[in-house]
Amino acid sequence: MFTLRSFMRAAGIALTAGAALGFLAPTFETTGGSAGHVAHLVLSAGWSWCALAFCVGLARQSKIESALLAPASLMVAVIAYYATKLERSTFLATNLSDPAQGVQVDAADYVSKIVGWCVAAAFLGCILGLAGNLARLRGLRGLPLRLLIPVSAAVEMTERLRVEASSQEAVVGATWSAVRLVAVAALVVLVGRAVTGSLHRRSGRRRENSA
């Protein structure tokens, strides 16, 4: 049942989660030692950002709320991510037209990245939010959608291992391999639960009919 109070509370949680992801992903890149680097690799991966929007949609019963809050959380994450990057001087560049001014923020590059990714977040977030909402369907009906994030993680990590791992330090490949292993395990568990639940329900209906 929709109430303004519940919607505002859900919005606060979703936006806070987005801000946390956007802040922590680049922050752990240079802090926390090896554990921080592993956290950065996980939080910066595309599947993690997809999981944020998906979980926001999964947490809401209303499709409208899912379609609104999921992209909002992703857009906040994008803004927080680039604000943190800016604070860490990522977008500094020399003004070639006037070198005397020294190093300055490349405003055009900074703004274009925020706008571009916010547009992508609005579009993909809506789709992922609705997918998360529909994943609430019990049994085999919602199974394909529940597999979306584990499949995304497994595919992304496999591709990164194939293309990038050889040029990265050992911890990077180990992290990507661990994430892929967890994703595959999640796939097996989700499929097993859905199939087992479906068989139990069919068996229950047969017993009822025979009675």
Side-chain angles (χ1 to χ4, degrees):
M1 180 177 179
F2 174 83
T3 65
L4 181 59
R5 182 177 180 180
S6 67
F7 177 77
M8 294 303 294
R9 182 167 59 247
I13 294 172
L15 298 182
T16 300
L21 176 61
F23 170 74
L24 293 175
T27 298
F28 279 131
E29 186 175 8
T30 55
T31 59
S34 298
H37 189 41
V38 170
H40 162 70
L41 291 170
V42 173
L43 295 178
S44 297
W47 70 266
S48 294
W49 290 62
C50 291
L52 168 65
F54 183 88
C55 289
V56 170
L58 183 66
R60 306 307 300 162
Q61 293 184 358
S62 166
K63 293 181 177 61
I64 295 177
E65 290 184 42
S66 297
L68 290 175
L69 295 181
S73 67
L74 274 186
M75 286 189 283
V76 168
V78 168
I79 294 171
Y81 179 87
Y82 282 106
T84 305
K85 282 281 194 177
L86 180 63
E87 184 182 6
R88 294 175 178 276
S89 304
T90 302
F91 290 90
L92 294 180
T94 302
N95 187 344
L96 298 178
S97 61
D98 188 3
Q101 293 185 5
V103 177
Q104 296 178 327
V105 173
D106 189 343
D109 183 39
Y110 180 69
V111 172
S112 67
K113 280 186 167 56
I114 290 180
V115 172
W117 282 110
C118 276
V119 170
F123 177 72
L124 294 176
C126 183
I127 295 174
L128 289 166
L130 287 173
N133 182 276
L134 294 173
R136 297 164 60 93
L137 295 172
R138 296 178 59 188
L140 298 177
R141 291 185 300 166
L143 178 61
L145 294 170
R146 290 195 291 275
L147 298 180
L148 182 61
I149 299 304
V151 167
S152 298
V155 170
E156 181 182 357
M157 294 301 97
T158 297
E159 189 64 15
R160 286 183 178 273
L161 285 166
R162 184 181 69 83
V163 177
E164 303 176 41
S166 60
S167 62
Q168 302 288 339
E169 55 188 316
V171 67
V172 176
T175 300
W176 289 342
S177 295
V179 171
R180 182 173 63 176
L181 181 62
V182 171
V184 171
L187 287 171
V188 173
V189 170
L190 289 170
V191 171
R193 288 185 60 184
V195 171
T196 301
S198 179
L199 291 175
H200 283 169
R201 283 189 293 274
R202 288 183 181 179
S203 177
R205 285 195 294 267
R206 287 175 182 171
R207 286 196 298 267
E208 291 176 359
N209 293 333
S210 63

